[in-house]
Amino acid sequence: MSWSRAYACCSSPLDMLLIFFLVCIIYVSATNKPNIVLILTDDQDISSIYSMPKTQKLIADVGASFVNSFCSTPICCPSRSSILTGQYLHNHGVFNNSRSGGCYSAHWRTIKEPLAFPVYLQSAGYKTFYAGKYLNQESSGIEFLQSVGMKKEKFLMVLATSAPHDPFTPESKYKGRFNGTKAPRTPNFNTFTKDKHWLLRLGDVPLPDSMVDTIDTIHARRLETLLSVDDMVEKVVLELKKFNLVEETVIIFTSDNGYHLGQFSLPWDKRQPYEFDIRVPLFIRGPSIKPKSVIYSPVVNIDLAPTILDLAGISTPDSMDGSSWLPLLKKTASNKISPRTFLVEYHGEGNRKSIDEKCGLKDPNLKECRVRNDCKCQDARNNTYFCLRSISETDDLSYCEFQDSENFIEYYDLKTDQYQLNNLRHSLSSSLQNKYSSRLKILQHCSGPICNELQV
């Protein structure tokens, strides 16, 4: 790989802190470019952020919060590939979490990884460091630390935690802290889904009480794992202050994708085009960022790479589909929304291993099946879709086309239906459907700056 990195398999905040302590004895050069710290959680839905008061206090309250932050594909490895390259899935070619699906494949390593944003930062004089989960694997090797010493270099540090991803194992000191806390009972929790694509109509609707109890337990354990991430955020800020670097450092906090826990009678996973799976938390603090700013304009994970390059004074390469959202931070006095139309895409995945016999299914085209009295599968090879997501002052819509045997379409007006309960596909006029479909096809094949020029 062409950019300098070090990996650490860091399962506890203390491990992270020790690494950070050694790395962050880097003193500041005369340039006004900031140091950059990116903290990336795994499978964190936006509803869980309330369990992280330190993160809110130390990043959001002294910086900016993005309330319309999205991932362009709701699955770990493809989303992280989009974060690194600034490209949509159809351009970086990582379709799912398997090696055959492109995750850390030869194509990624030789063609796409050299275009990752840390490569550009290193060329601009930054020292780069990565600890934790890279793409879809935990990596080790901390040879980076040997070269740091007391060099006067700007740095990029990425801390990619495995929390709150399964197996949802909190530190012993936090286990049980959220006992009795139930998953949010939003209007779409455990609802009947007759007008959703076929995969959501499969299996128990609503879920049996035994599975709902399991969902609540998982929710509590996920919140408890995030307490350790919250501690890590605090320690990062304290270490920056110790070395007088905090005023010259930008800290970004986000997640690779969202997560569902019982919505639309789905047990626990991601991979769906709904708001709970594609919305992610996003906070930033740093020099000249107004405290307690709230940004309503939509941003996407493909924008993260261009934004980090912009912070370092580097122009966005033509290979990137996203755009920097730093200009939005200069418009915080206004709550107006800068219109954005973007793509959400996913390629379904099956499982070559036979499904548990208790399901009564042995279909290699299905994946992520949960067994509780009946079978509820959450992915399939034809769970492949492309969605047009558009937000402006006047519109907030989602239009999705599924590549299944029904050529199913889902269309939601989120201005009036926040929880996507009512599929309005039958009310779409032919002209409006053709308009959305044609723009969707353009986005499916777009590349570079033109990806941000399309509007509904």
Side-chain angles (χ1 to χ4, degrees), residues 14-34:
L14 180 58
D15 293 332
M16 285 288 197
L17 177 60
L18 291 175
I19 292 172
F20 185 80
F21 177 85
L22 292 172
V23 173
C24 282
I25 54 175
I26 305 170
Y27 286 110
V28 184
S29 61
T31 177
N32 59 1
K33 297 177 182 179

Side-chain angles (χ1 to χ4, degrees), residues 34-35 59-66 247 249-252 283-295 307 311 325-326 328-330 332:
N35 302 307
I59 303 182
D61 289 353
V62 294
S65 303
F66 290 77
E247 300 302 325
T249 301
V250 169
I251 305 176
I252 301 170
F283 308 131
I284 180 173
R285 66 168 287 173
S288 303
I289 297 177
K290 184 179 178 181
K292 296 187 177 180
S293 301
V294 179
I295 311 298
T307 300
L311 285 167
W325 36 256
L326 290 190
L328 298 176
L329 295 172
K330 300 176 183 178
T332 55

Side-chain angles (χ1 to χ4, degrees), residues 258-294:
Y259 206 71
H260 59 251
L261 286 162
Q263 295 96 329
F264 296 141
S265 298
L266 292 164
W268 56 92
D269 198 52
K270 51 263 187 179
R271 308 167 202 263
Q272 296 298 329
Y274 308 111
E275 296 292 281
F276 41 74
D277 281 359
I278 65 173
R279 281 185 176 267
V280 294
L282 176 59
F283 308 131
I284 180 173
R285 66 168 287 173
S288 303
I289 297 177
K290 184 179 178 181
K292 296 187 177 180
S293 301
V294 179

Side-chain angles (χ1 to χ4, degrees), residues 79-97:
S79 179
R80 289 165 183 264
S81 300
S82 290
I83 288 171
L84 286 166
T85 63
Q87 294 182 338
Y88 279 124
L89 178 156
H90 63 265
N91 287 327
H92 62 59
V94 179
F95 294 102
N96 54 48
N97 284 344

Side-chain angles (χ1 to χ4, degrees), residues 219-258:
H219 176 63
R221 298 294 87 80
R222 280 168 53 85
L223 296 181
E224 289 160 6
T225 67
L226 288 171
L227 293 175
S228 297
V229 180
D230 209 33
D231 289 342
M232 184 191 75
V233 170
E234 180 184 49
K235 291 173 182 176
V236 165
V237 174
L238 290 176
E239 291 300 306
L240 285 169
K241 288 181 178 179
K242 182 186 298 183
F243 292 101
N244 297 316
L245 294 173
V246 71
E247 300 302 325
E248 300 158 2
T249 301
V250 169
I251 305 176
I252 301 170
F253 178 94
T254 191
S255 179
D256 54 359
N257 50 259

Side-chain angles (χ1 to χ4, degrees), residues 156-195:
L156 161 76
M157 171 174 281
V158 181
L159 301 177
T161 78
S162 58
H165 194 282
D166 65 17
F168 321 118
T169 305
E171 282 189 84
S172 57
K173 66 179 179 180
Y174 289 134
K175 189 171 183 180
R177 179 70 62 87
F178 284 97
N179 278 351
T181 303
K182 296 182 181 296
R185 296 317 199 246
T186 52
N188 55 12
F189 182 83
N190 208 14
T191 57
F192 187 56
T193 52
K194 65 178 181 179
D195 204 19

Side-chain angles (χ1 to χ4, degrees), residues 388 399 401 409 428-441:
L388 186 80
Y399 171 85
E401 295 181 351
I409 291 174
L428 273 175
S429 65
S430 58
S431 60
L432 193 56
Q433 181 174 336
N434 289 337
K435 175 185 176 181
Y436 292 156
S437 185
S438 63
R439 279 161 174 72
L440 181 57
K441 285 179 172 60

